[in-house]
Every structure is written in structure tokens, then in C-alpha cells.
Amino acid sequence: DTLIVTHDISKIYRMGTETIHALKSVSIKISKGEYVAFMGPSGSGKSTFMNIIGCLDTPTGGTYILNGNDVSNMTDNELAEVRNKEIGFVFQTFNLLPRQTSLENVALPLIYAGYGKSDREEKAQRALESVGLGTRGKHKPNELSGGQRQRVAIARALINNPSIILADEPTGNLDSKTSYEIMELFEDLHAKGNTIIMVTHEEDIAKYAHRIIRMRDGLIESDTINEDIATAT
Ligand code: ADP
Ligand code: ADP
């Protein structure tokens, strides 16, 4: 069941007279339920590609089919609609609103989706419970540990049942013990059928994924199945 197909994706940034070929030709296929890690040196095009996969930006050339829809040439408004429906974002810096409680942060996407207050609170509470934070709904981000903040962000990413969880360096601000706890949570989400795509610099984190795609100079250098995990599950 194919979720993502990119064909010959390129991205060119123009800065004055300089042109930067951030992506040269990237063709991949990702099925529903896959757990994929993108790796590669700084400047290899990971963020650029994630921005395209996450419908935050469009390619200069090539096509991107998401869930059967060609999203390569959409307007910003169309892209925003697809993004809100299909993608749950998790960031290195959590990106929570500091003055809002965990429950309010998690419920935020539901406001845009048009849910009423009591529905929002009920759904957000269930999402917090699903990441092990059922008793922390009234806490604000600064009253939570880093790992708990990332769990709140993950609950927020999950709240609209997105097709893809897109995580950019999700453990980049966490100590190693907390990082592994977040990876266990991702493993649970993957076991429940969620599709997870993450970017990481850390081999120890990437090895939790079932497929590892390495980028270099705007191209895919390798695309391998993680045999250890694939045979264990
Ligand atoms: P990473 O994803 O590797 O943690 P970034 O995506 O923030 O890092 O940056 C990767 C490279 O892209 C850096 O060399 C940075 O200077 C460059 N870069 C990121 N955004 C821009 C931008 N808006 N304009 C120019 N260069 C950028
Ligand atoms: P990575 O995430 O792997 O570090 P990026 O996708 O951020 O790589 O960057 C790929 C290349 O594109 C780099 O040469 C970077 O400097 C350039 N780049 C990234 N974003 C921009 C931007 N907004 N404007 C101009 N150049 C950019």
C-alpha cells in the first residue's frame, strides 16, 4: 500500500547569482506503515527533502505523489490543507507554546480542524494518555522534563490521525536514556500501524528504524532494510 512516491525530485535555491542544487534527483517509494530514517552529512539535502515530503515546500522539478494525490504543483493554500490532514510534525526543539498547558498544546490542531471545546479536551486527554502523560495535562512545558515535552509534541502530532509522522532530529535535545524512551514510543506507534519518517544524525537512533536511507550531495547514496529489526518482527 504505497503512501509516498517521489520521481526525480530536484530543488534549486537561487541566492543572488548563486544557484544551489540542494536536491538533484531523488526518487523513492514509501509504503504505509514503514518506519524510515534519513541520514547523511549536514548540507546533503535532508531538510530540503523533508520540507517537500511534509508539504512545507514544493520541488523545483519532478513529481511527488502523496496518498494518490499529486502535490508537486499545489498552491500554498492547497498544500497547507494537505499538510494539516496528512502530516504530524515532531521537532528537535519540541515547538510547544510556552503559556499553554500540555492539554491545550495537544488540542491546538483540533481548533483548526473545527472541533468544539469538550471534544477537543477529550481527544487531547486520550492522546496524552497514549504517550503516558495522562496525569500531566495541566502542566505547562517548563513544568515538564525534555522527554515529557517531546511526548506532548508527539501527542499533538498524532491528534489528527495523520498518514505520516515526520520527525526532524526528535532526540536532538534529549539525553541518551530519554532518547531511547522516545524511540520505544515510536516503536509502539509503528507497531500500531503508524508510518514514521525521521531524520537523525545518530546511528544509535537510526537503528530503531526498519529502513535507513542515506543522502549525500542531493542524492540518495543508499537505501537499506535494517535486517536486525526486520527479522526480529
Ligand atoms: P540540519 O538539518 O543539518 O541540522 P539545517 O537544515 O539547519 O541543518 O542547515 C543545513 C545547512 O543548510 C546549513 O549549512 C545551513 O547554513 C543551510 N541552510 C539552512 N537554511 C538555509 C537558508 N534559509 N538559507 C541558506 N542556507 C540555509
Ligand atoms: P541537510 O538537512 O542535509 O543539512 P539542507 O537540505 O538543509 O541539508 O541543505 C541542502 C543544501 O541546500 C545546502 O547546501 C544548504 O546550504 C542549501 N539550502 C538549504 N535551504 C536553503 C535555503 N532556504 N536557501 C538557500 N539554500 C538553502
PDB file of all heavy atoms in Angstrom, residues 74-87:
ATOM      1  N   MET A  74       1.057  22.182  -6.111  1.00  0.00           N
ATOM      2  CA  MET A  74      -0.068  22.811  -5.417  1.00  0.00           C
ATOM      3  C   MET A  74       0.258  24.238  -4.987  1.00  0.00           C
ATOM      4  O   MET A  74       1.417  24.589  -4.787  1.00  0.00           O
ATOM      5  CB  MET A  74      -0.428  21.980  -4.179  1.00  0.00           C
ATOM      6  CG  MET A  74      -1.193  20.724  -4.530  1.00  0.00           C
ATOM      7  SD  MET A  74      -1.832  19.963  -3.031  1.00  0.00           S
ATOM      8  CE  MET A  74      -2.954  18.781  -3.759  1.00  0.00           C
ATOM      9  N   THR A  75      -0.788  25.030  -4.816  1.00  0.00           N
ATOM     10  CA  THR A  75      -0.608  26.367  -4.248  1.00  0.00           C
ATOM     11  C   THR A  75      -0.355  26.231  -2.742  1.00  0.00           C
ATOM     12  O   THR A  75      -0.589  25.170  -2.167  1.00  0.00           O
ATOM     13  CB  THR A  75      -1.891  27.210  -4.425  1.00  0.00           C
ATOM     14  OG1 THR A  75      -2.932  26.581  -3.662  1.00  0.00           O
ATOM     15  CG2 THR A  75      -2.308  27.294  -5.888  1.00  0.00           C
ATOM     16  N   ASP A  76       0.093  27.320  -2.132  1.00  0.00           N
ATOM     17  CA  ASP A  76       0.382  27.281  -0.697  1.00  0.00           C
ATOM     18  C   ASP A  76      -0.847  26.889   0.120  1.00  0.00           C
ATOM     19  O   ASP A  76      -0.739  26.140   1.089  1.00  0.00           O
ATOM     20  CB  ASP A  76       0.905  28.648  -0.217  1.00  0.00           C
ATOM     21  CG  ASP A  76       2.328  28.887  -0.699  1.00  0.00           C
ATOM     22  OD1 ASP A  76       2.934  27.937  -1.244  1.00  0.00           O
ATOM     23  OD2 ASP A  76       2.826  30.014  -0.539  1.00  0.00           O
ATOM     24  N   ASN A  77      -2.007  27.383  -0.286  1.00  0.00           N
ATOM     25  CA  ASN A  77      -3.228  27.066   0.460  1.00  0.00           C
ATOM     26  C   ASN A  77      -3.614  25.597   0.338  1.00  0.00           C
ATOM     27  O   ASN A  77      -4.003  24.964   1.322  1.00  0.00           O
ATOM     28  CB  ASN A  77      -4.400  27.927  -0.014  1.00  0.00           C
ATOM     29  CG  ASN A  77      -4.313  29.335   0.543  1.00  0.00           C
ATOM     30  OD1 ASN A  77      -3.641  29.568   1.556  1.00  0.00           O
ATOM     31  ND2 ASN A  77      -4.971  30.270  -0.111  1.00  0.00           N
ATOM     32  N   GLU A  78      -3.514  25.071  -0.883  1.00  0.00           N
ATOM     33  CA  GLU A  78      -3.811  23.653  -1.080  1.00  0.00           C
ATOM     34  C   GLU A  78      -2.835  22.791  -0.290  1.00  0.00           C
ATOM     35  O   GLU A  78      -3.224  21.810   0.342  1.00  0.00           O
ATOM     36  CB  GLU A  78      -3.703  23.302  -2.577  1.00  0.00           C
ATOM     37  CG  GLU A  78      -4.795  23.911  -3.430  1.00  0.00           C
ATOM     38  CD  GLU A  78      -4.505  23.757  -4.931  1.00  0.00           C
ATOM     39  OE1 GLU A  78      -3.309  23.695  -5.326  1.00  0.00           O
ATOM     40  OE2 GLU A  78      -5.466  23.710  -5.698  1.00  0.00           O
ATOM     41  N   LEU A  79      -1.576  23.209  -0.329  1.00  0.00           N
ATOM     42  CA  LEU A  79      -0.532  22.459   0.367  1.00  0.00           C
ATOM     43  C   LEU A  79      -0.786  22.466   1.880  1.00  0.00           C
ATOM     44  O   LEU A  79      -0.616  21.441   2.547  1.00  0.00           O
ATOM     45  CB  LEU A  79       0.822  23.105   0.051  1.00  0.00           C
ATOM     46  CG  LEU A  79       2.035  22.200  -0.063  1.00  0.00           C
ATOM     47  CD1 LEU A  79       1.826  21.080  -1.061  1.00  0.00           C
ATOM     48  CD2 LEU A  79       3.255  23.031  -0.449  1.00  0.00           C
ATOM     49  N   ALA A  80      -1.214  23.610   2.395  1.00  0.00           N
ATOM     50  CA  ALA A  80      -1.496  23.717   3.833  1.00  0.00           C
ATOM     51  C   ALA A  80      -2.610  22.759   4.237  1.00  0.00           C
ATOM     52  O   ALA A  80      -2.561  22.137   5.303  1.00  0.00           O
ATOM     53  CB  ALA A  80      -1.857  25.152   4.197  1.00  0.00           C
ATOM     54  N   GLU A  81      -3.591  22.628   3.372  1.00  0.00           N
ATOM     55  CA  GLU A  81      -4.711  21.735   3.665  1.00  0.00           C
ATOM     56  C   GLU A  81      -4.250  20.271   3.713  1.00  0.00           C
ATOM     57  O   GLU A  81      -4.604  19.530   4.639  1.00  0.00           O
ATOM     58  CB  GLU A  81      -5.778  21.915   2.586  1.00  0.00           C
ATOM     59  CG  GLU A  81      -7.159  21.509   3.033  1.00  0.00           C
ATOM     60  CD  GLU A  81      -8.196  21.971   2.018  1.00  0.00           C
ATOM     61  OE1 GLU A  81      -8.286  23.199   1.764  1.00  0.00           O
ATOM     62  OE2 GLU A  81      -8.872  21.096   1.467  1.00  0.00           O
ATOM     63  N   VAL A  82      -3.446  19.889   2.719  1.00  0.00           N
ATOM     64  CA  VAL A  82      -2.912  18.522   2.684  1.00  0.00           C
ATOM     65  C   VAL A  82      -2.051  18.275   3.927  1.00  0.00           C
ATOM     66  O   VAL A  82      -2.167  17.251   4.595  1.00  0.00           O
ATOM     67  CB  VAL A  82      -2.066  18.285   1.408  1.00  0.00           C
ATOM     68  CG1 VAL A  82      -1.387  16.927   1.451  1.00  0.00           C
ATOM     69  CG2 VAL A  82      -2.937  18.396   0.171  1.00  0.00           C
ATOM     70  N   ARG A  83      -1.226  19.257   4.237  1.00  0.00           N
ATOM     71  CA  ARG A  83      -0.311  19.151   5.389  1.00  0.00           C
ATOM     72  C   ARG A  83      -1.081  18.916   6.689  1.00  0.00           C
ATOM     73  O   ARG A  83      -0.749  18.036   7.466  1.00  0.00           O
ATOM     74  CB  ARG A  83       0.476  20.449   5.458  1.00  0.00           C
ATOM     75  CG  ARG A  83       1.575  20.473   6.462  1.00  0.00           C
ATOM     76  CD  ARG A  83       2.501  21.630   6.154  1.00  0.00           C
ATOM     77  NE  ARG A  83       1.905  22.940   6.390  1.00  0.00           N
ATOM     78  CZ  ARG A  83       1.886  23.950   5.519  1.00  0.00           C
ATOM     79  NH1 ARG A  83       2.425  23.814   4.330  1.00  0.00           N
ATOM     80  NH2 ARG A  83       1.331  25.097   5.828  1.00  0.00           N
ATOM     81  N   ASN A  84      -2.127  19.706   6.909  1.00  0.00           N
ATOM     82  CA  ASN A  84      -2.889  19.580   8.156  1.00  0.00           C
ATOM     83  C   ASN A  84      -3.576  18.227   8.262  1.00  0.00           C
ATOM     84  O   ASN A  84      -3.763  17.714   9.359  1.00  0.00           O
ATOM     85  CB  ASN A  84      -3.924  20.698   8.266  1.00  0.00           C
ATOM     86  CG  ASN A  84      -3.250  22.046   8.493  1.00  0.00           C
ATOM     87  OD1 ASN A  84      -2.132  22.099   9.012  1.00  0.00           O
ATOM     88  ND2 ASN A  84      -3.903  23.127   8.090  1.00  0.00           N
ATOM     89  N   LYS A  85      -3.943  17.676   7.136  1.00  0.00           N
ATOM     90  CA  LYS A  85      -4.644  16.406   7.143  1.00  0.00           C
ATOM     91  C   LYS A  85      -3.677  15.222   7.231  1.00  0.00           C
ATOM     92  O   LYS A  85      -3.954  14.232   7.917  1.00  0.00           O
ATOM     93  CB  LYS A  85      -5.470  16.309   5.855  1.00  0.00           C
ATOM     94  CG  LYS A  85      -6.462  15.196   5.848  1.00  0.00           C
ATOM     95  CD  LYS A  85      -7.499  15.387   4.742  1.00  0.00           C
ATOM     96  CE  LYS A  85      -7.825  14.049   4.129  1.00  0.00           C
ATOM     97  NZ  LYS A  85      -7.365  13.818   2.792  1.00  0.00           N
ATOM     98  N   GLU A  86      -2.563  15.324   6.534  1.00  0.00           N
ATOM     99  CA  GLU A  86      -1.723  14.134   6.328  1.00  0.00           C
ATOM    100  C   GLU A  86      -0.489  14.035   7.225  1.00  0.00           C
ATOM    101  O   GLU A  86       0.045  12.951   7.394  1.00  0.00           O
ATOM    102  CB  GLU A  86      -1.226  14.089   4.861  1.00  0.00           C
ATOM    103  CG  GLU A  86      -2.315  14.189   3.810  1.00  0.00           C
ATOM    104  CD  GLU A  86      -2.997  12.854   3.524  1.00  0.00           C
ATOM    105  OE1 GLU A  86      -2.691  11.855   4.208  1.00  0.00           O
ATOM    106  OE2 GLU A  86      -3.842  12.822   2.615  1.00  0.00           O
ATOM    107  N   ILE A  87      -0.002  15.171   7.752  1.00  0.00           N
ATOM    108  CA  ILE A  87       1.320  15.147   8.386  1.00  0.00           C
ATOM    109  C   ILE A  87       1.265  15.564   9.852  1.00  0.00           C
ATOM    110  O   ILE A  87       0.684  16.603  10.193  1.00  0.00           O
ATOM    111  CB  ILE A  87       2.298  16.116   7.672  1.00  0.00           C
ATOM    112  CG1 ILE A  87       2.147  16.073   6.136  1.00  0.00           C
ATOM    113  CG2 ILE A  87       3.737  15.862   8.122  1.00  0.00           C
ATOM    114  CD1 ILE A  87       2.813  14.943   5.444  1.00  0.00           C
TER     115      ILE A  87
END
